[in-house]
Amino acid sequence: MFAKLFHRAPQESSPRKDAPQLKDFEPHVVVHYGIPSTASILAFDPLQHLLAIGTLDGRIKLIGGDNIECLLISPNPVPLKSLEFLQNQGYLVSVSNENVVQVWDLEQRRLASNLQWGSNISAFSVVCGTNYMYLGDEYGYLSVLKFDFEEGNIQHMPYQIPAELIADEAGIPVPDQPSIVGLLAQPCSSGKRVLIAYQIGVIILWDISEDKAILVRGHNDLQLKDELTIHSTTDIRHNKVNNTLNEEQIEKEISALCWVSSDGSMLAVGYVDGDIILWNLPTAVSANNQKGNKASNNAVKLKLSSGDRRLPVIVLHWSNSPLSGSAGQLFVYGGDDIGSEEVLTILNLEFSSGLEALKCVKRLDLTLNGSYADIELVRAPESSDTTLFVLTNPGQLHVYNDECLTGLISAPDMKHAVNAVQCPVTIPTVEPYMTISKLCLVDNNDGLQRVLKEIVLAAKPQTSSPTSPGNAKWPVSGGFPSQLSSAENIGVERIYIAGYQDGYVRIWDATFPIFSLIFVLGLQVEGTEISGASESVSALDFNSTTSSLAVGNDCGLVHLFKLVGESEKLNTHLVTETKRDEINLHHGKGWHLTAVFSLIKSPVRSLQYAFSGARIIVGHECGKAAVLDVISSSVLFLTDCLVSNSSPIVSIAVKTYLQTDTDDPKQSGDTSSKDPEKEVAFILTKDAQVILVDISSGDKICCQSVSPKESTAISIYLLDEKFAVPELSERNPVNSPHGPTDAESDTTVDEVILLHSTKSLIQGRSNFIRKIDLEKQCCWATIFKRNELESGVILVYSDGVVEIRSLPDLIVLAETSIMSILRWNFKTNMEKTMSSFGNSNITMVYGCEYAVISLFTSENDFRIPEALPRLHDKVVAEAAEAALKFSLSQKNKQVAPTGILGGIIKGIKREKENENTNVEETRDVLVPKLEALFSRSPFSVADLDLDLDLGEDFDAPVKLVVEKIEVEPKSPEPPTPRQSQTKTEKSKQKEREQLFEGGSEPKTRTADEIKAKYRKTGTGDTAAVALEAKDKLLERQMKLEKLKENSEELASGSENFASLAGELVKQMENRKWWQL
């Protein structure tokens, strides 16, 4: 069969109601590489070394190491305004502009849960190391969300505080604009303290465990000690501020904030007027010391310019110095004069003697390569190096490490980071610019597979861990390939070939979803100057049977390559119209350049190997064609312009016929031909002329116009006899061994699909069998075969619509769009990089992005999901947890109490000691504590510990904490499934009644009502409370005595565990999954 396509004015079309439906039609993305041009936000998991990039169209790009990339697509194409990892847990949280909170399962590569919020989410923050999230909205509500791993859903926790209640507790009036613009968990507080920043300029440090405001700061409390105007490193002006005369301090909006210390004692706040104010805040040590809080009530103002009209401070990030806890770098975007150059400012600050002695050592302005999108500052747990990710538009990502930034500071004139690490590009599409590409099948030939497999294995180490010119290593190395990708019994099944504007050809192993670069071919001949060899590549074709590759360029050159398995000296032939030269070149294992043809100074537009692979047809822009002998590296013939108007050749198809099948009058009487078979080339020109040429002799058999006037032809395909039209098959039975066989040709023009009999074309008749007028302008078409009996046509229109039609009826079976699959618009010349190898897998390029899409679920050539790389490494997660436990066990050995009396004293003073020691907690310890805090309503009494406050009669008030100890807890009998279901239903009903107080909907309550219901009165008898505490201590002592006999065994077990964890950490370092 033979098919052609033509253009028309765009109109809507849809599958006919009576058309057969495709049951497994489900378009999806199989492979995706590159950063989208709409990239807008960054997130990084420092333990898993994974980078996430959110976009303005609802997509999330995940990047790991070793060419591991993944694309997640949200249901709605809306921008993302927040993106954070649940660190080391295999989940990613995003918040869209439609205020939908989404949790993505990285292991399953799917959306695990989503929650539609009822108001505008203005602030969002994940409690580090946990599955809890703080959420602030436009009405000033502070809420807590939890992602339940077992249930797989997002839960709204009972702990929720309105702005009125926080303002009342803090002793300030209710803000007129209560919108929360920032939420930061205070470091070293285990998520129990959160800093709340309101749009009007008020910041409150809120203690979740005590339900009170630890600190309130606003412009009424501002006591500026100093003002620094930092114009440059050499122009830093210190101005003393007289607070009594500083009447201009009025409420102004907060636009950015970040911690400026590892213990949460200093905060940087950016404002819309360009000011940056550093505030002193209380830490856990000074939380109960009100005098200390008042003493620390001071601030310092930073200004990047002295102008009156400055840009808002959009972003603030802090990086502590690894050498000193009182020094570091403040990264600022904004705050400079309006109209100034767009830069990222880096301030080196020191405050060894406190905030009063703050000084700026250096200022560096990092010129951005494109407009600013986002930055992410990361310090890897295993090192003290800081990594700065800078995302600019459109979709450009650069990385700066400490060495790079230090070099820039020492050379202030060099504003561009020349040695910055650019995000490694697995498949380059823009730099260099890709002009043509093709996805090709590889035969299962033992010799060919052996050579390719050896080359692939040798190429893999060279493509991993890319570096910059300054040898700075790319820090993103997360994920690991599937075990299937290293299976020895699976060879190279597909290769992806791309030609570029710089004259190079790159080839990737495309067997699995992880593509690996295996060849980079230059078209220059060593030691010989060939004019036009560096011109843009314009055509490609690959013949798997002979392991041959043909490359044509815009200068008319045709390069022929052959894959060889041994290093040897072979001849390269340089062939022109007038002469033929030979060059002896030494080639290693890989592609050997066998010949270079320079016949016509006109761009090559089409290349097509004959079935045998011994000949190749070349179509030029000028309308001329040439047939080359691959084996002898010679020109068989060169035609004049095939049509009178020199229309470019756009597509070529080849078919082999028996001499009797053609019914060619010129040869019907000739039976002396040495070759009983004849190969005929069907050549399609841009003006929809089909020319049939005998490849052996170069004779033109016929020329027919197959489309309306002023149409643009796209492609021509030959269909097997199995898919011929029934009535045609009856007239020309294919079962007869000597009877004339026939096929059909499918010609695609931009407005029409035409189905012709090839035999009728050979005989000079242009009558079509089928003609379908298209309702839109078609830009690309291909034929696909699903099995021996099913085939169809895939059409891609100029508006991005993808249409599936049946063969030979050409009925519309299904329809989708590139926008719905990839969120791409169809661009001009996009069809040049689209390809398919005869099934429903289609490759395409859009800007910096490359993708392979599959239209049917039954087509699984890439072995999904078995061959997909793993994004979450459980071995790394377990090793990180073991390392943290080992570190904590070493600290606990230094402060472990001995004896029963020591245990009692330690229990009494535990909270006071914790105030003086910043001890981290593992997730299995921290999460239950937060669960208890967030599962209650604000100001409610948690049935946890006994708090004893002895009042002001004592010189040093001590908080008494008595812990409950279970010596031998009884394990209850497991309930039956029916009992469990009944218990769950009752529990849910009880929780709902408690939450809504017997009603079906939540009730609005005032601050006084909430306090009256939940707050403790604190009016009990002090002596009675002390007596009760004494009884509990005696009971505790008895239980500790029973546990004493097991203490040595437990201590020994913990030491063994710590030793084992340490060995595990050492063994897991720098190891991949195949080394386990």
Side-chain angles (χ1 to χ4, degrees), residues 919-993:
V919 180
E920 300 180 44
E921 294 177 311
T922 58
R923 188 184 304 119
D924 55 353
V925 175
L926 177 59
V927 169
K929 293 182 179 180
L930 294 180
E931 176 72 20
L933 288 175
F934 297 144
S935 297
R936 63 186 181 89
S937 300
F939 302 108
S940 63
V941 180
D943 186 17
L944 299 173
D945 299 331
L946 175 63
D947 293 339
L948 179 61
D949 188 355
L950 299 180
E952 300 178 355
D953 297 335
F954 292 83
D955 295 334
V958 178
K959 189 170 291 186
L960 180 63
V961 179
V962 180
E963 298 181 349
K964 297 181 179 180
I965 299 179
E966 295 291 340
V967 181
E968 294 180 356
K970 297 181 179 180
S971 57
E973 297 181 0
T976 63
R978 187 170 184 179
Q979 291 175 338
S980 178
Q981 181 179 1
T982 304
K983 184 177 180 181
T984 303
E985 292 176 354
K986 291 181 178 179
S987 176
K988 290 183 178 179
Q989 181 64 26
K990 184 177 179 180
E991 290 177 359
R992 185 175 183 84
E993 291 177 356

Side-chain angles (χ1 to χ4, degrees), residues 482-494:
S482 68
Q483 190 172 2
L484 190 64
S485 62
S486 62
E488 296 182 357
N489 60 333
I490 301 178
V492 178
E493 298 177 351
R494 285 172 299 277

Side-chain angles (χ1 to χ4, degrees), residues 160-221:
Q160 184 179 35
I161 309 179
E164 294 80 3
L165 189 58
I166 295 179
D168 182 69
E169 179 65 25
I172 61 175
V174 179
D176 296 331
Q177 297 176 338
S179 178
I180 297 176
V181 295
L183 290 170
L184 294 176
Q186 189 178 31
C188 304
S189 68
S190 300
K192 300 173 186 176
R193 288 185 182 177
V194 57
L195 183 89
I196 308 170
Y198 291 93
Q199 184 177 359
I200 60 171
V202 177
I203 55 176
I204 297 177
L205 184 60
W206 185 264
D207 193 305
I208 302 291
S209 60
E210 299 183 9
D211 295 323
K212 70 176 183 180
I214 301 298
L215 171 138
V216 179
R217 290 288 185 267
H219 285 285
N220 294 331
D221 308 300

Side-chain angles (χ1 to χ4, degrees), residues 671-685:
T671 59
S672 62
S673 177
K674 296 180 181 179
D675 191 357
E677 294 184 344
K678 179 167 65 174
E679 289 182 323
V680 177
F682 293 72
I683 301 175
L684 179 66
T685 61

Side-chain angles (χ1 to χ4, degrees), residues 79 95 124 159 264 398 404 524 564 648 729 939 1031:
V95 180
F124 188 85
Y159 197 92
H398 292 80
C404 176
Q524 295 283 358
V564 296
S729 301
F939 302 108
D1031 294 338

Side-chain angles (χ1 to χ4, degrees), residues 760-896:
S760 66
L761 287 176
I762 292 175
Q763 294 175 348
R765 295 181 286 111
S766 61
N767 298 333
F768 54 81
I769 302 169
R770 293 278 190 274
K771 178 181 179 182
I772 301 296
D773 292 330
L774 301 178
E775 299 177 350
K776 307 175 185 179
Q777 179 182 352
C778 183
C779 295
W780 184 82
T782 188
I783 302 296
F784 71 93
K785 291 177 62 176
R786 300 184 61 191
N787 50 50
E788 294 299 324
L789 299 176
E790 294 183 42
S791 67
V793 184
I794 301 175
L795 306 178
V796 179
Y797 295 94
S798 59
D799 59 356
V801 171
V802 180
E803 195 175 72
I804 310 295
R805 289 181 178 265
S806 64
L807 282 176
D809 299 326
L810 298 178
I811 299 173
V812 178
L813 301 178
E815 186 179 287
T816 182
S817 69
I818 298 176
M819 175 60 71
S820 63
I821 303 172
L822 285 163
R823 308 275 163 86
W824 293 358
N825 292 310
F826 194 88
K827 296 174 64 176
T828 305
N829 295 327
M830 188 173 171
E831 68 277 1
K832 293 183 179 180
T833 53
M834 296 180 67
S835 67
S836 179
F837 54 82
N839 63 1
S840 64
N841 291 324
I842 305 173
T843 70
M844 55 184 67
V845 171
Y846 181 84
C848 296
E849 300 178 68
Y850 166 84
V852 180
I853 64 172
S854 180
L855 301 179
F856 301 101
T857 55
S858 58
E859 297 285 350
N860 195 13
D861 298 306
F862 289 91
R863 298 181 178 89
I864 307 295
E866 295 82 9
L868 287 174
R870 303 297 182 260
L871 297 174
H872 178 64
D873 195 334
K874 294 182 179 179
V875 175
V876 172
E878 293 173 0
E881 284 294 311
L884 180 57
K885 290 181 180 179
F886 174 73
S887 175
L888 293 178
S889 67
Q890 295 297 104
K891 293 181 180 180
N892 291 336
K893 284 182 179 181
Q894 302 174 6
V895 296

